[in-house]
Amino acid sequence: MGKSSLFFIQHYPHPSQVLEIGEIGILKLSKEHNLKLRQTTIQKLLYAANQALSHSLEELSSKILILSMKLQDLERLNKNISDLEREVGRCLYMHNKGLKPFAERLKEKGKHARKVFIALGNKFLKIAFAMIRDKQPFMSKQTDFHVLHEINKKLSYTCLIIPTTEQIN
């Protein structure tokens, strides 16, 4: 859900509230809160609010309260996901040689370290979902990257070490 959609659901959950502030009020809110609403979007929002069939605001007050609580939960979850992305990105930056060139390119472009970490976290998610979709392990473009070697590093504390091709031959 986008920034402007969340804003209106949080602050103006009932169609009557949207109609009450009107076009000028929505335009003012858009500028104040950087919602980037175009004139056509504002017109569509007002049209939808005008055509909406709904119970009165008083009848829906308890449901609006529940909606508000759920939106607060969503906000906390989004923050937690963002924090996790940044932490995963930081770990990848420090320990993953395969993604190091990507991070270095971002740093050369002048990106702040936090943004680099978030970009790495996003990249990791894309790689992970591609691995699940394709049912294939990650294959780095780095010449010194070997999947079995990386797996062995992760499993070295157990007896589940997989023999590499050098060990087999």
Side-chain angles (χ1 to χ4, degrees):
M1 188 175 293
K3 179 180 176 180
S4 51
S5 300
L6 276 173
F7 178 85
F8 276 95
I9 288 175
Q10 284 177 322
H11 301 286
Y12 302 95
H14 197 269
S16 65
Q17 294 172 317
V18 174
L19 292 172
E20 191 177 305
I21 59 174
E23 185 175 343
I24 295 170
I26 294 172
L27 193 57
K28 184 179 172 187
L29 286 171
S30 178
K31 288 178 183 174
E32 285 174 6
H33 298 280
N34 196 25
L35 301 176
K36 299 177 182 170
L37 293 173
R38 295 183 179 161
Q39 193 64 36
T40 54
T41 305
I42 293 171
Q43 292 298 323
K44 288 177 185 177
L45 179 62
L46 288 169
Y47 177 78
N50 194 32
Q51 298 298 311
L53 299 174
S54 178
H55 293 284
S56 71
L57 188 57
E58 293 77 29
E59 289 178 85
L60 295 175
S61 63
S62 62
K63 292 184 181 187
I64 289 174
L65 177 64
I66 292 169
L67 174 65
S68 173
M69 291 169 26
K70 297 282 185 188
L71 288 171
Q72 287 174 355
D73 290 345
L74 177 64
E75 202 172 298
R76 278 192 295 276
L77 283 171
N78 282 340
K79 185 182 179 334
N80 288 345
I81 289 170
S82 178
D83 291 346
L84 281 172
E85 262 179 348
R86 190 174 53 252
E87 277 303 303
V88 166
R90 188 178 66 76
C91 290
L92 288 169
Y93 181 78
M94 292 188 319
H95 302 291
N96 190 302
K97 294 178 195 171
L99 292 176
K100 198 80 158 179
F102 174 70
E104 293 304 324
R105 279 196 310 274
L106 292 175
K107 285 184 91 172
E108 287 170 10
K109 288 181 182 179
K111 298 290 182 190
H112 189 274
R114 284 183 110 177
K115 289 191 177 188
V116 171
F117 296 158
I118 289 170
L120 282 170
N122 284 330
K123 184 88 160 169
F124 175 76
L125 287 172
K126 289 177 184 175
I127 290 169
F129 280 109
M131 288 169 53
I132 293 168
R133 179 193 65 219
D134 301 339
K135 296 180 175 79
Q136 295 288 322
F138 174 70
M139 298 307 241
S140 175
K141 293 177 184 169
Q142 297 286 337
T143 55
D144 62 341
F145 180 85
H146 300 287
V147 174
L148 290 177
H149 177 69
E150 293 298 317
I151 292 171
N152 282 338
K153 280 191 337 191
K154 305 297 183 243
L155 299 175
S156 63
Y157 64 93
T158 69
C159 62
L160 299 173
I161 297 177
I162 301 167
T164 62
T165 50
E166 297 94 35
Q167 292 171 334
I168 294 172
N169 295 331

XYZ file of all heavy atoms in Angstrom, residues 87-165:
647
model
N 19.975 -4.672 8.541
C 20.903 -5.559 9.241
C 21.418 -6.664 8.326
O 22.602 -7.000 8.345
C 20.241 -6.169 10.476
C 20.269 -5.275 11.680
C 21.682 -4.856 12.061
O 22.538 -5.718 12.299
O 21.929 -3.648 12.113
N 20.520 -7.261 7.545
C 20.934 -8.293 6.592
C 21.924 -7.687 5.600
O 22.961 -8.281 5.287
C 19.711 -8.899 5.858
C 20.125 -9.706 4.642
C 18.893 -9.752 6.807
N 21.620 -6.487 5.123
C 22.515 -5.805 4.188
C 23.879 -5.533 4.794
O 24.909 -5.703 4.139
N 23.900 -5.141 6.057
C 25.174 -4.883 6.743
C 25.995 -6.164 6.831
O 27.201 -6.174 6.557
C 24.925 -4.296 8.130
C 26.165 -3.813 8.844
C 25.841 -3.195 10.192
N 25.307 -4.134 11.150
C 26.048 -5.038 11.812
N 27.341 -5.097 11.620
N 25.487 -5.861 12.673
N 25.340 -7.253 7.200
C 26.041 -8.547 7.280
C 26.544 -8.987 5.906
O 27.668 -9.497 5.785
C 25.123 -9.615 7.863
S 24.778 -9.368 9.603
N 25.718 -8.794 4.878
C 26.143 -9.162 3.528
C 27.344 -8.326 3.101
O 28.268 -8.831 2.459
C 24.993 -8.970 2.533
C 23.864 -9.984 2.628
C 22.684 -9.528 1.783
C 24.333 -11.354 2.197
N 27.317 -7.060 3.440
C 28.418 -6.173 3.068
C 29.727 -6.652 3.689
O 30.767 -6.649 3.051
C 28.111 -4.744 3.521
C 29.192 -3.770 3.140
C 29.282 -3.296 1.841
C 30.131 -3.333 4.072
C 30.283 -2.411 1.477
C 31.125 -2.451 3.718
C 31.194 -1.996 2.417
O 32.189 -1.117 2.045
N 29.651 -7.097 4.942
C 30.864 -7.503 5.646
C 31.328 -8.905 5.254
O 32.523 -9.181 5.271
C 30.635 -7.445 7.155
C 30.458 -6.021 7.650
S 30.400 -5.795 9.437
C 29.421 -7.123 10.036
N 30.404 -9.802 4.889
C 30.776 -11.212 4.750
C 30.569 -11.826 3.365
O 31.018 -12.936 3.147
C 29.996 -12.055 5.768
C 30.217 -11.624 7.172
N 31.417 -11.786 7.827
C 29.395 -11.007 8.058
C 31.319 -11.299 9.054
N 30.109 -10.824 9.219
N 29.886 -11.162 2.455
C 29.570 -11.786 1.172
C 30.394 -11.159 0.056
O 30.139 -10.032 -0.359
C 28.067 -11.649 0.881
C 27.639 -12.464 -0.298
O 28.156 -12.285 -1.393
N 26.693 -13.348 -0.090
N 31.374 -11.915 -0.444
C 32.243 -11.412 -1.516
C 31.481 -11.228 -2.817
O 31.818 -10.370 -3.616
C 33.392 -12.392 -1.746
C 34.352 -12.513 -0.607
C 35.409 -13.548 -0.932
C 36.168 -13.965 0.303
N 37.042 -15.100 0.045
N 30.449 -12.044 -3.028
C 29.686 -11.986 -4.274
C 28.914 -10.697 -4.451
O 28.726 -10.227 -5.575
N 28.454 -10.111 -3.357
C 27.684 -8.871 -3.450
C 28.537 -7.627 -3.199
O 28.040 -6.510 -3.291
C 26.506 -8.912 -2.472
C 25.421 -9.927 -2.812
C 24.365 -9.958 -1.727
C 24.789 -9.624 -4.150
N 29.800 -7.833 -2.889
C 30.701 -6.708 -2.610
C 30.801 -5.736 -3.793
O 30.720 -4.518 -3.588
C 32.082 -7.255 -2.229
C 32.948 -6.268 -1.516
C 32.572 -6.183 -0.068
C 33.717 -5.637 0.728
N 33.397 -5.510 2.118
N 30.962 -6.224 -5.044
C 31.042 -5.284 -6.170
C 29.787 -4.416 -6.315
O 29.879 -3.225 -6.622
C 31.214 -6.191 -7.397
C 31.754 -7.464 -6.866
C 31.198 -7.602 -5.485
N 28.613 -5.012 -6.080
C 27.357 -4.262 -6.127
C 27.375 -3.143 -5.088
O 27.039 -1.990 -5.387
C 26.182 -5.218 -5.884
C 24.844 -4.546 -5.757
C 24.243 -3.957 -6.857
C 24.184 -4.521 -4.544
C 23.005 -3.337 -6.739
C 22.948 -3.906 -4.419
C 22.354 -3.317 -5.520
N 27.802 -3.478 -3.868
C 27.865 -2.479 -2.802
C 28.877 -1.392 -3.121
O 28.620 -0.205 -2.886
C 28.216 -3.159 -1.479
N 30.008 -1.773 -3.660
C 31.045 -0.790 -4.000
C 30.553 0.176 -5.086
O 30.846 1.365 -5.040
C 32.330 -1.488 -4.437
C 33.019 -2.272 -3.317
C 33.342 -1.419 -2.096
O 33.689 -0.233 -2.239
O 33.237 -1.955 -0.975
N 29.803 -0.346 -6.066
C 29.250 0.531 -7.117
C 28.311 1.568 -6.509
O 28.337 2.738 -6.885
C 28.495 -0.294 -8.164
C 29.372 -0.934 -9.197
C 28.590 -1.407 -10.421
N 27.424 -2.217 -10.123
C 27.427 -3.522 -9.928
N 28.573 -4.198 -9.970
N 26.310 -4.178 -9.685
N 27.502 1.133 -5.547
C 26.587 2.065 -4.900
C 27.348 3.113 -4.100
O 26.999 4.296 -4.113
C 25.607 1.315 -3.998
C 24.600 0.416 -4.706
C 23.783 -0.364 -3.682
C 23.684 1.211 -5.605
N 28.390 2.676 -3.397
C 29.197 3.621 -2.616
C 29.891 4.634 -3.523
O 29.995 5.809 -3.187
C 30.219 2.867 -1.767
C 29.584 2.197 -0.557
C 30.612 1.553 0.302
C 31.055 2.563 1.329
N 31.925 2.007 2.356
N 30.371 4.171 -4.686
C 31.030 5.067 -5.640
C 30.065 6.121 -6.172
O 30.471 7.227 -6.510
C 31.610 4.271 -6.812
C 32.854 3.483 -6.444
C 33.278 2.514 -7.549
O 32.719 2.590 -8.670
O 34.159 1.681 -7.267
N 28.781 5.765 -6.240
C 27.762 6.720 -6.686
C 27.420 7.727 -5.594
O 26.611 8.620 -5.806
C 26.489 5.985 -7.102
C 26.613 5.229 -8.397
C 25.282 4.559 -8.739
C 25.380 3.762 -10.009
N 24.100 3.099 -10.325
N 28.009 7.532 -4.407
C 27.791 8.470 -3.313
C 26.650 8.100 -2.384
O 26.194 8.929 -1.602
N 26.190 6.868 -2.446
C 25.099 6.434 -1.567
C 25.603 6.310 -0.127
O 26.713 5.868 0.115
C 24.536 5.079 -2.006
C 23.926 5.073 -3.388
C 22.652 5.855 -3.425
C 22.036 5.779 -4.812
N 20.947 6.697 -4.973
N 24.765 6.719 0.806
C 25.066 6.602 2.230
C 25.089 5.123 2.606
O 24.403 4.302 2.007
C 23.998 7.347 3.044
C 24.313 7.466 4.488
N 23.998 6.486 5.393
C 24.931 8.453 5.182
C 24.400 6.859 6.588
N 24.955 8.049 6.491
N 25.886 4.781 3.617
C 26.054 3.382 4.027
C 24.715 2.710 4.338
O 24.480 1.563 3.957
C 26.979 3.299 5.233
N 23.813 3.427 5.006
C 22.504 2.839 5.332
C 21.746 2.455 4.071
O 21.104 1.415 4.019
C 21.654 3.810 6.152
C 22.075 3.917 7.594
C 21.142 4.822 8.313
N 20.355 4.008 9.218
C 19.471 4.490 10.051
N 19.235 5.778 10.093
N 18.800 3.699 10.848
N 21.796 3.324 3.061
C 21.093 3.029 1.811
C 21.740 1.857 1.089
O 21.055 1.049 0.467
C 21.048 4.263 0.911
C 20.116 5.317 1.435
C 19.879 6.402 0.432
C 18.864 7.382 0.998
N 18.445 8.350 0.038
N 23.048 1.751 1.188
C 23.757 0.617 0.586
C 23.319 -0.668 1.275
O 23.033 -1.674 0.614
C 25.292 0.799 0.675
C 26.021 -0.458 0.245
C 25.739 1.988 -0.169
N 23.230 -0.642 2.610
C 22.820 -1.829 3.352
C 21.394 -2.244 2.985
O 21.105 -3.427 2.804
C 22.914 -1.604 4.861
C 24.313 -1.356 5.355
C 24.513 -0.709 6.564
C 25.422 -1.757 4.640
C 25.793 -0.485 7.048
C 26.717 -1.532 5.106
C 26.897 -0.896 6.309
N 20.506 -1.273 2.858
C 19.118 -1.572 2.496
C 19.063 -2.146 1.080
O 18.349 -3.116 0.813
C 18.232 -0.319 2.643
C 18.050 -0.001 4.135
C 16.875 -0.519 1.971
C 17.398 1.331 4.419
N 19.843 -1.583 0.167
C 19.886 -2.099 -1.206
C 20.410 -3.531 -1.229
O 19.901 -4.380 -1.975
C 20.756 -1.198 -2.080
N 21.414 -3.820 -0.404
C 21.938 -5.185 -0.307
C 20.886 -6.137 0.259
O 20.747 -7.276 -0.209
C 23.197 -5.225 0.563
C 24.480 -4.756 -0.099
C 25.582 -4.607 0.936
C 24.905 -5.705 -1.191
N 20.160 -5.684 1.261
C 19.088 -6.502 1.825
C 18.026 -6.809 0.787
O 17.552 -7.950 0.674
N 17.648 -5.801 0.002
C 16.664 -6.006 -1.065
C 17.201 -6.970 -2.123
O 16.478 -7.836 -2.616
C 16.288 -4.672 -1.723
C 15.358 -3.863 -0.860
O 14.569 -4.409 -0.108
N 15.461 -2.554 -0.965
N 18.459 -6.799 -2.478
C 19.097 -7.683 -3.461
C 19.082 -9.125 -2.948
O 18.785 -10.062 -3.699
C 20.533 -7.214 -3.694
C 21.281 -7.962 -4.737
C 21.037 -7.334 -6.067
C 22.117 -7.722 -7.044
N 21.742 -7.323 -8.377
N 19.383 -9.291 -1.672
C 19.370 -10.617 -1.065
C 17.978 -11.244 -1.158
O 17.842 -12.430 -1.483
C 19.820 -10.526 0.397
C 19.723 -11.831 1.127
C 20.657 -12.833 0.905
C 18.704 -12.056 2.040
C 20.579 -14.041 1.582
C 18.623 -13.264 2.713
C 19.562 -14.249 2.481
N 16.945 -10.457 -0.867
C 15.578 -10.979 -0.959
C 15.253 -11.428 -2.378
O 14.651 -12.486 -2.582
C 14.574 -9.922 -0.499
C 14.530 -9.648 0.994
C 13.638 -8.457 1.296
C 14.049 -10.868 1.746
N 15.653 -10.638 -3.359
C 15.409 -11.007 -4.756
C 16.138 -12.299 -5.112
O 15.588 -13.177 -5.787
C 15.841 -9.879 -5.696
C 14.941 -8.676 -5.622
C 15.447 -7.557 -6.502
C 14.584 -6.322 -6.326
N 15.098 -5.180 -7.060
N 17.376 -12.420 -4.655
C 18.155 -13.643 -4.915
C 17.489 -14.841 -4.235
O 17.343 -15.905 -4.844
C 19.615 -13.467 -4.439
C 20.349 -12.469 -5.337
C 20.348 -14.800 -4.413
C 21.706 -12.037 -4.807
N 17.074 -14.649 -2.986
C 16.457 -15.752 -2.238
C 15.176 -16.224 -2.919
O 14.963 -17.433 -3.089
C 16.165 -15.318 -0.799
N 14.332 -15.296 -3.348
C 13.094 -15.692 -4.016
C 13.373 -16.330 -5.374
O 12.676 -17.261 -5.773
C 12.135 -14.510 -4.137
C 11.384 -14.240 -2.863
C 11.658 -13.120 -2.105
C 10.414 -15.120 -2.405
C 10.984 -12.878 -0.923
C 9.728 -14.896 -1.226
C 10.012 -13.772 -0.480
N 14.394 -15.864 -6.068
C 14.771 -16.491 -7.342
C 15.268 -17.914 -7.114
O 14.971 -18.820 -7.909
C 15.836 -15.656 -8.048
N 16.023 -18.119 -6.043
C 16.505 -19.470 -5.719
C 15.328 -20.404 -5.437
O 15.313 -21.555 -5.890
C 17.442 -19.421 -4.507
C 18.786 -18.800 -4.791
S 19.771 -18.455 -3.316
C 19.797 -19.999 -2.475
N 14.339 -19.907 -4.707
C 13.153 -20.717 -4.404
C 12.371 -20.991 -5.688
O 11.971 -22.127 -5.951
C 12.268 -20.005 -3.351
C 12.997 -19.961 -2.014
C 10.914 -20.696 -3.228
C 12.357 -19.037 -0.993
N 12.167 -19.949 -6.482
C 11.404 -20.094 -7.722
C 12.066 -21.077 -8.678
O 11.414 -21.952 -9.235
C 11.274 -18.723 -8.400
C 10.509 -18.749 -9.713
C 10.678 -17.458 -10.489
N 12.075 -17.310 -10.883
C 12.738 -16.159 -10.888
N 12.146 -15.049 -10.519
N 13.990 -16.114 -11.260
N 13.390 -20.946 -8.856
C 14.115 -21.764 -9.826
C 14.607 -23.086 -9.258
O 15.135 -23.916 -9.998
C 15.311 -20.974 -10.380
C 14.874 -19.685 -11.055
O 13.689 -19.579 -11.451
O 15.726 -18.781 -11.186
N 14.490 -23.227 -7.937
C 14.989 -24.430 -7.252
C 16.465 -24.672 -7.577
O 16.877 -25.794 -7.871
C 14.135 -25.650 -7.604
C 12.698 -25.529 -7.132
C 11.898 -26.751 -7.491
C 10.512 -26.702 -6.925
N 9.578 -25.903 -7.622
N 17.246 -23.607 -7.540
C 18.676 -23.646 -7.848
C 19.430 -22.893 -6.760
O 18.949 -21.888 -6.252
C 18.967 -22.957 -9.190
C 18.372 -23.644 -10.393
C 19.113 -24.924 -10.705
O 20.317 -25.011 -10.580
N 18.357 -25.943 -11.091
N 20.642 -23.342 -6.428
C 21.446 -22.584 -5.462
C 21.993 -21.306 -6.099
O 22.011 -21.170 -7.324
C 22.584 -23.547 -5.111
C 22.699 -24.439 -6.292
C 21.306 -24.564 -6.859
N 22.441 -20.410 -5.267
C 23.021 -19.149 -5.744
C 24.337 -19.414 -6.460
O 25.188 -20.138 -5.959
C 23.256 -18.215 -4.551
C 23.973 -16.947 -4.915
C 23.357 -15.974 -5.667
C 25.278 -16.727 -4.492
C 24.009 -14.805 -5.999
C 25.942 -15.558 -4.812
C 25.307 -14.597 -5.573
N 24.492 -18.858 -7.637
C 25.733 -18.985 -8.392
C 26.306 -17.581 -8.591
O 25.757 -16.788 -9.335
C 25.485 -19.646 -9.750
C 24.957 -21.056 -9.616
S 26.001 -22.035 -8.554
C 26.522 -23.270 -9.633
N 27.395 -17.325 -7.928
C 28.036 -16.022 -8.003
C 28.805 -15.877 -9.311
O 29.246 -16.858 -9.901
C 28.999 -15.849 -6.831
O 29.704 -14.651 -6.949
N 28.983 -14.638 -9.737
C 29.798 -14.358 -10.916
C 31.275 -14.248 -10.544
O 32.118 -14.102 -11.419
C 29.304 -13.074 -11.590
C 27.909 -13.249 -12.170
C 27.385 -11.970 -12.762
C 25.952 -12.195 -13.245
N 25.285 -10.984 -13.582
N 31.572 -14.313 -9.264
C 32.956 -14.273 -8.797
C 33.644 -15.586 -9.170
O 33.092 -16.670 -8.951
C 33.002 -14.095 -7.278
C 32.407 -12.802 -6.786
C 33.310 -11.626 -7.065
O 34.506 -11.776 -7.227
N 32.735 -10.435 -7.122
N 34.842 -15.512 -9.698
C 35.542 -16.725 -10.139
C 35.986 -17.598 -8.966
O 36.072 -18.803 -9.109
C 36.773 -16.352 -10.988
O 37.588 -15.454 -10.232
C 36.351 -15.720 -12.291
N 36.248 -16.990 -7.811
C 36.719 -17.775 -6.672
C 35.578 -18.253 -5.759
O 35.810 -18.709 -4.658
C 37.742 -16.984 -5.858
C 37.154 -15.705 -5.273
O 36.103 -15.257 -5.776
O 37.738 -15.170 -4.322
N 34.346 -18.163 -6.239
C 33.187 -18.572 -5.457
C 32.806 -20.003 -5.823
O 32.595 -20.327 -6.980
C 31.999 -17.638 -5.733
C 30.753 -17.998 -4.956
C 30.577 -17.543 -3.667
C 29.763 -18.794 -5.521
C 29.446 -17.866 -2.954
C 28.631 -19.122 -4.813
C 28.465 -18.657 -3.527
N 32.746 -20.876 -4.811
C 32.342 -22.262 -5.020
C 31.256 -22.593 -4.006
O 31.473 -22.440 -2.797
C 33.523 -23.217 -4.860
C 34.619 -22.912 -5.831
N 34.532 -23.202 -7.172
C 35.824 -22.310 -5.654
C 35.628 -22.806 -7.776
N 36.428 -22.255 -6.880
N 30.114 -23.031 -4.489
C 28.974 -23.296 -3.623
C 29.332 -24.294 -2.526
O 29.036 -24.067 -1.351
C 27.766 -23.812 -4.451
C 26.627 -24.226 -3.537
C 27.283 -22.757 -5.412
N 29.977 -25.398 -2.879
C 30.300 -26.416 -1.877
C 31.231 -25.868 -0.799
O 31.082 -26.187 0.379
C 30.915 -27.654 -2.533
C 29.949 -28.489 -3.381
C 30.688 -29.636 -4.046
C 28.809 -29.007 -2.535
N 32.179 -25.037 -1.207
C 33.094 -24.430 -0.230
C 32.306 -23.546 0.742
O 32.549 -23.575 1.961
C 34.174 -23.626 -0.954
C 35.103 -22.917 -0.030
N 36.011 -23.591 0.773
C 35.254 -21.600 0.245
C 36.680 -22.704 1.493
N 36.237 -21.493 1.198
N 31.367 -22.763 0.221
C 30.563 -21.882 1.074
C 29.678 -22.691 2.015
O 29.541 -22.358 3.193
C 29.692 -20.942 0.222
C 30.480 -19.938 -0.581
C 31.294 -18.995 0.292
O 30.777 -18.516 1.325
O 32.457 -18.736 -0.060
N 29.102 -23.773 1.513
C 28.276 -24.619 2.370
C 29.132 -25.238 3.474
O 28.736 -25.279 4.640
C 27.561 -25.715 1.539
C 26.515 -25.073 0.623
C 26.904 -26.748 2.451
C 25.909 -26.020 -0.386
N 30.322 -25.704 3.112
C 31.220 -26.292 4.117
C 31.614 -25.291 5.192
O 31.744 -25.651 6.361
C 32.462 -26.880 3.450
C 32.174 -28.220 2.808
O 31.218 -28.894 3.178
N 32.980 -28.597 1.843
N 31.817 -24.039 4.799
C 32.139 -23.012 5.796
C 31.001 -22.879 6.798
O 31.230 -22.757 7.994
C 32.381 -21.658 5.112
C 33.745 -21.525 4.511
C 34.136 -20.145 4.056
C 33.087 -19.163 3.725
N 33.548 -17.956 3.061
N 29.769 -22.938 6.300
C 28.612 -22.782 7.182
C 28.400 -24.012 8.060
O 27.923 -23.920 9.174
C 27.331 -22.536 6.370
C 27.387 -21.372 5.415
C 27.588 -20.061 6.106
C 27.557 -18.915 5.135
N 28.751 -18.170 5.012
N 28.744 -25.169 7.535
C 28.508 -26.420 8.264
C 29.748 -26.952 8.977
O 29.718 -28.045 9.529
C 27.992 -27.493 7.297
C 26.674 -27.197 6.598
C 26.360 -28.281 5.597
C 25.553 -27.045 7.604
N 30.816 -26.202 9.004
C 32.082 -26.704 9.531
C 32.019 -27.102 11.002
O 32.818 -27.913 11.454
C 33.186 -25.678 9.325
O 32.890 -24.515 10.056
N 31.092 -26.583 11.750
C 30.992 -26.929 13.162
C 30.242 -28.240 13.392
O 30.114 -28.701 14.514
C 30.333 -25.806 13.954
C 28.909 -25.533 13.560
C 27.856 -26.156 14.221
C 28.618 -24.654 12.525
C 26.559 -25.924 13.859
C 27.316 -24.410 12.162
C 26.286 -25.042 12.827
O 24.989 -24.798 12.452
N 29.731 -28.853 12.330
C 29.027 -30.133 12.472
C 29.770 -31.208 11.685
O 30.761 -30.951 11.010
C 27.589 -30.040 11.932
O 27.641 -29.905 10.521
C 26.833 -28.887 12.545
N 29.269 -32.408 11.714
C 29.886 -33.491 10.952
C 29.261 -33.607 9.567
O 29.518 -34.554 8.836
C 29.759 -34.814 11.706
S 28.045 -35.298 11.969
N 28.444 -32.655 9.180
C 27.734 -32.714 7.904
C 28.511 -32.017 6.789
O 27.942 -31.321 5.971
C 26.352 -32.062 8.037
C 25.411 -32.699 9.050
C 24.161 -31.854 9.210
C 25.049 -34.103 8.617
N 29.806 -32.193 6.731
C 30.624 -31.539 5.718
C 30.482 -32.284 4.400
O 30.657 -33.498 4.327
C 32.092 -31.454 6.159
C 32.169 -30.593 7.422
C 32.960 -30.911 5.043
C 33.548 -30.490 8.012
N 30.150 -31.539 3.348
C 29.968 -32.107 2.021
C 31.310 -32.084 1.315
O 31.974 -31.056 1.262
C 28.929 -31.289 1.224
C 27.598 -31.275 1.977
C 28.771 -31.825 -0.192
C 26.606 -30.274 1.456
N 31.734 -33.192 0.717
C 33.046 -33.196 0.040
C 33.035 -32.312 -1.199
O 32.077 -32.297 -1.958
C 33.252 -34.655 -0.338
C 31.960 -35.342 -0.150
C 31.073 -34.479 0.686
N 34.103 -31.517 -1.359
C 34.243 -30.692 -2.554
C 34.809 -31.537 -3.671
O 35.267 -32.657 -3.463
C 35.172 -29.489 -2.275
O 36.442 -30.000 -1.932
C 34.630 -28.611 -1.170
N 34.835 -30.983 -4.884
C 35.345 -31.741 -6.026
C 36.825 -32.066 -5.850
O 37.294 -33.106 -6.287
C 35.132 -30.968 -7.340
O 35.629 -29.645 -7.181
C 33.666 -30.929 -7.713
